[in-house]
Amino acid sequence: MLVLLPPSEGKAAGGSGAPLEPETLSLPGLAGARAAVLAELVELCAGDELKAREVLGLSEGLRGEVAKNAGLRSAVARPAGEIYTGVLYDALGLADLPAGARALAERSLLVFSGLWGAVRVTDRIPSYRCSMGVKLPALGALGAYWREPMAAVMPAAAGDGLVLDLRSSAYGSAWKPKGEVAGRTATVRVLHAQVVDGVEKRSVVSHFNKATKGRLVRDLLLAGAVPATPADLVTALRDLGYTVEVEPPAKPAKAWSLDVVVSQIH
């Protein structure tokens, strides 16, 4: 099983340790593309601050992120699972997983990134600010930039099991499973169901969507579940108490779309 996650917008800073060692990152086939994005991002942020903020979409209150990016090569690097914070990662709770579940997380989770392409939770990276929606002056839109290098490495990374795609649309643009891999890929949408005047209504709530996805992954890890196919995933989630609605795709080389329906927001 390979679980594709979005990064968090905010990231943990501080700590102690050695700086980034790019050659140690997973998916070494992305090394050249990573080096190019890192070089342009550092150069951009070491120059005109106003231009850097405009390119990165940063407000005045986030101007400190520019200086942070300028110092990425010498900044403290920590495991990506400690760097990424926010709603999904709080619900996932990597830090307090028992040993078996933690080992499964280290094998299964892959976090997509505008700067790194994708990293494992064990990969040591510095805190940074560069979303997939950024358009760098020389390299262009990062979602488009990453498509070719990601297409070269992701089929092998996906292996022969389930691909559980929990990315947002911006990060999904960097790699779309195709062919046989697509046929064993499942995407998840979280729907909040509530009864209003006797009629059930459903809606997608962003914050709640992220939290539920984090809990869903955590529950799979704690159960030691390693579903091999989208159909196996549906069974595993239902066994864990989730309400899952699904209509298998009409063609074998198409991803499955699962709706996880919940009645409480927390």
Side-chain angles (χ1 to χ4, degrees), residues 156-209:
D160 57 5
L162 170 74
V163 177
L164 175 53
D165 190 352
L166 301 179
R167 298 172 296 166
S168 58
S169 58
Y171 290 90
S173 69
W175 180 65
K176 297 184 185 300
K178 296 181 179 179
E180 183 268 337
V181 178
R184 47 188 169 85
T185 296
T187 62
V188 171
R189 180 175 65 163
V190 179
L191 297 178
H192 176 220
Q194 54 185 332
V195 177
V196 180
D197 296 329
V199 179
E200 183 182 82
K201 296 184 177 181
R202 296 180 176 183
S203 60
V204 177
V205 183
S206 178
H207 176 98
F208 177 57
N209 172 60

Side-chain angles (χ1 to χ4, degrees), residues 61-266:
L62 293 173
R63 62 187 304 176
E65 299 292 294
V66 175
K68 183 168 71 174
N69 281 349
L72 283 173
R73 296 187 190 280
S74 58
V76 169
R78 294 160 56 193
E82 298 176 13
I83 292 292
Y84 294 119
T85 59
V87 176
L88 188 153
Y89 290 90
D90 286 347
L92 175 54
L94 286 171
D96 64 1
L97 285 174
R102 177 73 189 205
L104 181 55
E106 292 174 356
R107 296 194 303 271
S108 304
L109 306 186
L110 193 66
V111 184
F112 273 61
S113 162
L115 174 53
W116 313 113
V119 292
R120 301 280 184 182
V121 294
T122 51
D123 286 334
R124 293 177 57 260
I125 58 174
S127 180
Y128 67 97
R129 190 76 172 222
C130 184
S131 72
M132 193 65 80
V134 163
K135 184 177 182 180
L136 292 175
L139 296 179
L142 290 176
Y145 170 81
W146 281 111
R147 285 173 196 156
E148 183 175 344
M150 295 302 293
V153 303
M154 283 305 300
D160 57 5
L162 170 74
V163 177
L164 175 53
D165 190 352
L166 301 179
R167 298 172 296 166
S168 58
S169 58
Y171 290 90
S173 69
W175 180 65
K176 297 184 185 300
K178 296 181 179 179
E180 183 268 337
V181 178
R184 47 188 169 85
T185 296
T187 62
V188 171
R189 180 175 65 163
V190 179
L191 297 178
H192 176 220
Q194 54 185 332
V195 177
V196 180
D197 296 329
V199 179
E200 183 182 82
K201 296 184 177 181
R202 296 180 176 183
S203 60
V204 177
V205 183
S206 178
H207 176 98
F208 177 57
N209 172 60
K210 293 175 183 177
T212 301
K213 287 180 177 179
R215 285 192 290 269
L216 181 152
V217 174
R218 181 180 177 86
D219 287 344
L220 288 171
L221 295 172
L222 288 172
V226 188
T229 67
D232 291 343
L233 174 65
V234 172
T235 299
L237 291 176
R238 287 174 175 166
D239 287 346
L240 289 167
Y242 287 91
T243 298
V244 182
E245 297 179 353
V246 58
E247 183 174 339
K251 298 181 180 179
K254 296 291 184 181
W256 288 46
S257 296
L258 278 59
D259 283 344
V260 173
V261 183
V262 294
S263 58
Q264 296 182 339
I265 293 181
H266 58 90

